[in-house]
């Protein structure tokens, strides 16, 4: 049984137009694919966090309509704690601030990944031209 061993920098294969795919090119393609998957995961997480933020805003609006003298159950972990209106409003506001911070962090990660993808896309299209398709599904 024969095994072909490729050294880094040597051509892995050749396309129809004679452009060889080097080990480094394959690594760039793999990084591009991983970054695309990570971007999709982050965008899904952002969507979930935005829904959570919307729910917190709705809760905040409902609390404004509540009576001052009632105790409101507030979930902390897996336990509900009964608190007065002011404490509950403060906790909901803290949760909103924390969630917005998480969304901002995720959006920054997306921005960084998009910059990396753009750089890799430019390098790969420069070498392979129309022989490689690097368009994301939502861009098409």
């Amino acid at each position: 049984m024969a095994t072909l061993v490729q050294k880094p920098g040597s051509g892995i294969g050749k396309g129809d137009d004679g452009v060889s795919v080097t080990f480094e090119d394959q690594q760039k393609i793999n990084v591009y694919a991983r970054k695309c998957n990570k971007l999709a995961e982050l965008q899904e997480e952002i969507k979930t966090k935005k829904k959570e933020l919307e729910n917190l805003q709705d809760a905040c609006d409902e609390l404004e309509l509540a009576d001052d003298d009632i105790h409101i159950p507030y979930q902390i972990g897996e336990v509900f704690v009964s608190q007065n209106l002011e404490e509950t409003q403060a906790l909901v506001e803290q949760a909103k601030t924390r969630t917005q911070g998480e969304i901002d962090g995720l959006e920054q990660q997306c921005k960084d990944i998009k910059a990396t993808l753009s750089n890799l896309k430019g390098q790969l299209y420069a070498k392979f031209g129309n022989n490689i398709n690097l368009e994301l599904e939502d861009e098409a």
Side-chain angles (χ1 to χ4, degrees):
M1 174 186 250
T3 304
L4 178 62
V5 177
Q6 292 289 332
K7 295 180 182 177
S10 65
I12 292 176
K14 290 195 175 214
D16 293 338
D17 65 350
V19 177
S20 65
V21 180
T22 64
F23 179 76
E24 289 81 14
D25 295 332
Q26 188 61 49
Q27 293 301 94
K28 288 178 185 178
I29 293 168
N30 292 343
V31 167
Y32 187 88
R34 283 192 303 271
K35 295 284 185 183
C36 284
N37 289 336
K38 181 66 174 174
L39 182 63
E41 290 172 10
L42 289 174
Q43 288 172 334
E44 193 62 36
E45 192 172 347
I46 288 171
K47 196 185 307 183
T48 302
K49 293 288 183 186
K50 284 185 176 180
K51 181 65 176 165
E52 182 181 332
L53 186 63
E54 185 179 310
N55 290 341
L56 287 168
Q57 182 59 46
D58 290 345
C60 204
D61 293 344
E62 288 295 323
L63 287 174
E64 290 177 4
L65 301 174
D67 293 332
D68 290 337
D69 59 346
I70 64 169
H71 285 289
I72 300 165
Y74 185 82
Q75 185 175 7
I76 300 175
E78 296 181 11
V79 178
F80 284 92
V81 178
S82 185
Q83 297 181 338
N84 65 31
L85 181 63
E86 290 178 13
E87 291 172 340
T88 305
Q89 285 177 325
L91 288 172
V92 171
E93 286 297 328
Q94 288 174 358
K96 281 175 45 181
T97 303
R98 184 184 65 246
T99 303
Q100 185 60 52
E102 291 171 358
I103 290 171
D104 293 343
L106 292 170
E107 287 175 342
Q108 182 60 45
Q109 287 180 15
C110 284
K111 183 179 176 184
D112 295 344
I113 288 174
K114 286 179 181 179
T116 302
L117 289 176
S118 177
N119 183 20
L120 287 170
K121 188 186 288 189
Q123 292 174 17
L124 292 168
Y125 273 134
K127 180 160 185 177
F128 298 107
N130 292 334
N131 293 327
I132 191 167
N133 181 11
L134 300 173
E135 299 303 317
L136 298 174
E137 293 162 3
D138 59 342
E139 290 180 0

